[in-house]
Amino acid sequence: MSAKMLGFDPERLTRIDDWMVRNREGGRYHGSSLLVLRGGEEVHASFDGMMSVNRGLPFQRDTIVRIYSMTKIVTSVVLGMLVERGLVHLEAPVSAFLPSFGEARRLVPGAERDDQTEPCAVPSLAQLLTHSSGLTYSFNPGLAARIYEREKVDFGPRMGVLADMCDRAAAQPLAFRPGTKWEYSIGIDVIGRVIEVITGQPLDRVFREMVFDPLGMVDTAFSVPASKVGRFADCYQKTDEDPRALLDPGDDSSFSEARVTMFSGGGGLCSTLDDYARFGEMLRRGGELGGERLLSPSTLAFMRRNFLSGDIASMGAESFMEMPMAGMGFGIGGAVLLDPALARMPGSVGDFGWGGMASTYFWTDPVKDLTVVFLTQLVPSSSYPSRVELKALVHGALIG
């Protein structure tokens, strides 16, 4: 079916291609790819530039990239599947599964030392999923983040194993009393370990059996095998000295199959354009794709609701955020657009999606029946306003 028949202006869609070229020629990214689907039909696909400058390899449809925090929604879907089976409920304290979290303490307001703490409630699984648990990341502002940095609370691919790192995280004070603020965090990494405890299986096997195999996601995993390294992109980093400095070469990567020890439910997966689009389509279609049902429509609608008391901005957020905070809520594992005007970003109320540290991004739109996936490889994702620009481009081409 043509783009025009799917409600898009073909000429306006070429603006997306021009934008991707400008990103490359202007020094933002070495390469990128994009896929737009409407009602499951391909509207537009675009591939530009290089996935590896050193190896002379172009960015293509089957290029494998690090999706980092786009892993979070996969982890959240798996937990939702376990909720549907009656194996867990969202208000359960994390200590019911991980006893090391049993004696929670939080930093007192204005704390200047890590011993300035007081007892508090143990975070619930819902709070971990929605970044309102008091956990944090080492790159956030504040004392708790500095403690994480010092104690090496890091779920990187070569940072040991998930169980041990969760115990290390549990030994650190929470940044705030659970449920009172929003701070981007390792919460969904901890959920990954909860999933392992519930299922009795390592997270990579759980993901493969419960999500990847049913959806036909053949190139999505926590590592890249040697047979696929030729399709694995280099990752770059924006620095003061070089806007596209090589960070992690695809042919000698921390994500190579022989090196990965950590199954990070918050940021460990690698994937491709079509693989992740299949996952996005499952979300858009209410939990089913190709006759394989992962979640009921009711459960998925529940997960896509805003679980915060207001938008993220109203929760006193000071941490890193890959999307606007005003007009944006947070559901189970992903951001929910509450008010496009407040967010200063075109979209439909109920848009649901998230991005990754290497500037990747996806969203599904239940109103316009859209699934959009954008892939590139530049850290950090806050380097450029690409996500807001992309949403404007896609909605600017949508005419019916």
Side-chain angles (χ1 to χ4, degrees):
M1 193 177 296
S2 69
K4 190 168 186 179
M5 292 177 67
L6 291 167
F8 280 83
D9 183 324
E11 190 171 327
R12 284 172 168 256
L13 283 170
T14 64
R15 296 174 179 175
I16 298 174
D17 304 336
D18 296 340
W19 172 77
M20 292 169 68
V21 171
R22 287 198 307 273
N23 283 338
R24 171 173 49 80
E25 293 181 343
R28 283 187 175 184
Y29 310 127
H30 278 303
S32 57
S33 63
L34 172 91
L35 183 61
V36 180
L37 304 174
R38 191 174 199 190
E41 297 285 339
E42 184 172 314
V43 171
H44 192 69
S46 188
F47 322 99
D48 178 76
M50 308 298 289
M51 75 166 197
S52 173
V53 174
N54 288 350
R55 289 178 285 161
L57 299 174
F59 224 106
Q60 297 180 318
R61 187 165 191 138
D62 65 352
T63 293
I64 300 170
V65 304
R66 304 151 193 81
I67 61 170
Y68 287 114
S69 287
M70 284 163 60
T71 305
K72 288 179 168 67
I73 300 187
V74 178
T75 306
S76 302
V77 162
V78 171
L79 191 76
M81 296 169 73
L82 300 177
V83 168
E84 283 192 334
R85 298 177 188 186
L87 297 173
V88 62
H89 63 92
L90 296 183
E91 280 304 292
V94 63
S95 57
F97 304 93
L98 308 182
S100 57
F101 282 89
E103 296 183 5
R105 300 186 67 86
R106 63 106 175 204
L107 294 168
V108 300
E112 297 180 352
R113 304 187 314 271
D114 52 359
D115 63 349
Q116 294 176 302
T117 65
E118 62 183 16
C120 66
V122 174
S124 69
L125 300 185
Q127 289 165 341
L128 266 64
L129 289 160
T130 58
H131 303 296
S132 57
S133 65
L135 296 170
T136 188
Y137 269 121
S138 62
F139 52 71
N140 282 331
L143 176 58
R146 301 291 71 77
I147 295 170
Y148 275 39
E149 186 176 32
R150 183 192 72 207
E151 299 299 326
K152 295 182 172 53
V153 179
D154 184 346
F155 289 79
R158 301 171 66 183
M159 292 298 294
V161 297
L162 185 56
D164 292 346
M165 191 57 67
C166 285
D167 286 344
R168 185 180 298 181
Q172 315 312 322
L174 299 175
F176 53 85
R177 192 177 300 279
T180 60
K181 290 185 66 176
W182 191 95
E183 184 159 312
Y184 198 42
S185 77
I186 62 168
I188 299 178
D189 282 297
V190 177
I191 290 292
R193 177 57 185 159
V194 170
I195 290 169
E196 289 189 333
V197 171
I198 293 171
T199 61
Q201 301 290 345
L203 197 61
D204 63 335
R205 180 173 175 178
V206 175
F207 278 12
R208 184 176 68 252
E209 294 180 356
M210 294 182 66
V211 179
F212 304 151
D213 286 350
L215 296 184
M217 297 171 66
V218 296
D219 287 321
T220 304
F222 284 108
S223 63
V224 178
S227 61
K228 297 182 180 182
V229 165
R231 293 195 282 127
F232 190 30
D234 295 349
C235 191
Y236 301 89
Q237 182 176 22
K238 185 176 186 288
T239 68
D240 292 339
E241 295 76 27
D242 185 346
R244 296 181 294 192
L246 183 62
L247 176 65
D248 187 46
D251 57 350
D252 187 28
S253 172
S254 295
F255 289 84
S256 65
E257 192 172 43
R259 295 180 178 180
V260 172
T261 60
M262 176 73 68
F263 302 141
S264 164
L269 288 176
C270 300
S271 191
T272 62
L273 199 64
D274 283 300
D275 263 21
Y276 208 85
R278 293 185 69 80
F279 181 75
E281 277 293 284
M282 179 275 297
L283 296 177
R284 183 192 67 81
R285 290 168 54 89
E288 176 274 338
L289 183 70
E292 294 284 348
R293 178 162 296 283
L294 273 61
L295 292 164
S296 77
S298 177
T299 298
L300 195 51
F302 166 72
M303 293 174 63
R304 295 174 69 135
R305 296 182 66 86
N306 180 30
F307 276 67
L308 308 179
S309 58
D311 63 5
I312 293 172
S314 72
M315 297 284 288
E318 299 175 357
S319 66
F320 170 82
M321 170 67 168
E322 295 173 336
M323 294 292 291
M325 294 186 183
M328 190 72 69
F330 210 86
I332 300 299
V336 182
L337 184 58
L338 305 177
D339 187 330
L342 281 179
R344 306 291 193 265
M345 179 176 66
S348 302
V349 173
D351 278 8
F352 183 74
W354 199 237
M357 183 171 69
S359 304
T360 59
Y361 179 47
F362 101 104
W363 81 92
T364 61
D365 184 330
V367 177
K368 301 295 185 181
D369 284 335
L370 295 176
T371 297
V372 183
V373 183
F374 173 70
L375 301 181
T376 188
Q377 294 284 266
L378 183 80
V379 173
S381 59
S382 57
S383 298
Y384 307 107
S386 299
R387 295 165 189 177
V388 175
E389 293 171 356
L390 180 59
K391 292 202 83 171
L393 286 159
V394 171
H395 280 270
L398 183 61
I399 58 174

